[in-house]
Amino acid sequence: MSGEITLFVNPTAGRGRGARAAPPAASAFRAAGFSVRTVLGADAADGLARARAAVAAGTGALVAVGGDGMASLALQAVAGTATPFGLIPAGTGNDFARALGLPLGDPSTAARRTAGALTEDRLRAVDLGRAGSTWFATVLASGFDSRVNDRGNRMRLPLGRFRYDVALLAELAAFRPSAFRLTLDGGATREIEATLVAVGNGTSYGGGMRICPKADLADGLFDVTVVGSCGRGTLLTVFPKVYRGTHVDHPVVTVHRAARVELVAGDVTGYADGEPLGPLPLSARCVPGAVRVAGA
């Protein structure tokens, strides 16, 4: 492989943790014998164009420094190619990093692990989801959770994750199930009333909410968690259990496994890796071994 790696940096990730993580990560790669090129974008589109150019030019690896949003952006450039992917967790949620077992809050250690894996050609092939032309690593969310995202994204205050806590409370007050049509692997379409449908390649979203606790990054299948129609009181009982993954034991929750998922619902936005995909209907497929990860 090339001796140059590309650091793809989001300096605003985690309220500046991305900017602080980049120098120690670069130092660790240089100490391992790599030359380091740092890529910053004026915005997401510019950053993605620069990352794609680095991959096309033959960089030895594309290493994202930031959170799930930055990881997702980097995957759009590297998925489906032979270029290895690395991740230095420096965001707020870091759910993909959690799924990969990467060290959180320690960019030097994460970079040393990634550098060692690249040097020794120890790469782990993991699955990704694909919805239209968009790749995703963790969870495609639709329903109550995506409405919380919608509301949080419209709010200017408070800052950080507290914004989504406030949005959660507001959505609880306006809570209503949605009518979904769910089709798995081209089989019979299920018409259901559901609070949410989460399509998990990885286990968690929202900074450790284990919505699909048994999802496996290397089995070629999604775990599809359906929280059925329920009242506000039941939702308040089930929701806190998501952090331990024990919500799946509640009678209102069902889990399915499939390689292809089609979702139809009115007035519901789909989010993947925390980023908006657009309104349903949406189709997603699990792509086995879509990216080779270093350091995981």
Side-chain angles (χ1 to χ4, degrees):
M1 61 164 282
S2 165
E4 179 193 82
I5 64 103
T6 300
L7 283 188
F8 188 33
V9 181
N10 179 2
T12 65
R15 298 188 186 181
R17 283 195 295 271
R20 293 191 295 273
S27 294
F29 280 113
R30 291 189 181 104
F34 291 94
S35 62
V36 178
R37 176 188 176 201
T38 299
V39 168
L40 299 168
D43 52 30
D46 180 55
L48 178 56
R50 292 171 184 269
R52 283 178 167 154
V55 170
T59 186
L62 183 67
V63 181
V65 182
D68 289 317
M70 197 60 175
S72 177
L73 195 62
L75 288 173
Q76 309 313 308
V78 78
T81 76
T83 303
F85 169 78
L87 178 57
I88 310 300
T92 302
N94 298 315
D95 286 291
F96 191 31
R98 282 187 175 88
L100 292 170
L102 295 171
L104 305 182
D106 189 347
S108 294
T109 297
R112 285 195 297 270
R113 277 181 52 173
T114 302
L118 290 170
T119 300
E120 299 169 17
D121 199 26
R122 289 185 286 104
L123 303 175
R124 175 184 174 190
V126 303
D127 306 339
L128 295 175
R130 196 165 196 189
S133 61
T134 301
W135 297 93
F136 65 95
T138 57
V139 178
L140 190 164
S142 63
F144 176 75
D145 42 9
S146 62
R147 286 195 174 102
V148 171
N149 261 321
D150 282 340
R151 186 180 290 269
N153 290 342
R154 293 194 300 267
M155 296 167 60
R156 298 183 65 183
L157 293 172
L159 299 175
R161 292 182 62 184
F162 291 115
R163 177 188 312 170
Y164 294 94
D165 293 337
V166 173
L168 174 63
L169 292 173
E171 280 303 316
L172 276 172
F175 171 70
R176 67 191 187 282
S178 298
F180 281 88
R181 294 207 304 273
L182 172 65
T183 308
L184 305 176
D185 288 332
T189 297
R190 309 162 194 247
E191 297 194 4
I192 56 176
E193 288 282 326
T195 300
L196 65 86
V197 179
V199 180
N201 182 57
T203 56
S204 68
Y205 60 9
M209 298 168 66
R210 296 172 56 80
I211 188 68
C212 300
K214 295 185 179 180
D216 185 333
L217 288 174
D219 65 354
L221 296 170
F222 295 125
D223 277 26
V224 183
T225 299
V226 178
V227 179
S229 179
C230 62
R232 200 174 285 113
T234 300
L235 183 58
L236 286 169
T237 299
V238 172
F239 201 77
K241 297 181 179 181
V242 173
Y243 288 94
R244 299 189 303 276
T246 57
H247 62 291
V248 295
D249 298 326
H250 195 282
V252 79
V253 180
T254 56
V255 179
H256 312 274
R257 306 186 79 223
R260 290 181 294 124
V261 178
E262 297 174 31
L263 286 169
V264 179
D267 194 29
V268 175
T269 302
Y271 282 77
D273 293 342
E275 302 297 318
L277 288 174
L280 271 57
L282 288 170
S283 297
R285 61 187 176 95
C286 185
V287 182
V291 66
R292 298 189 305 152
V293 180

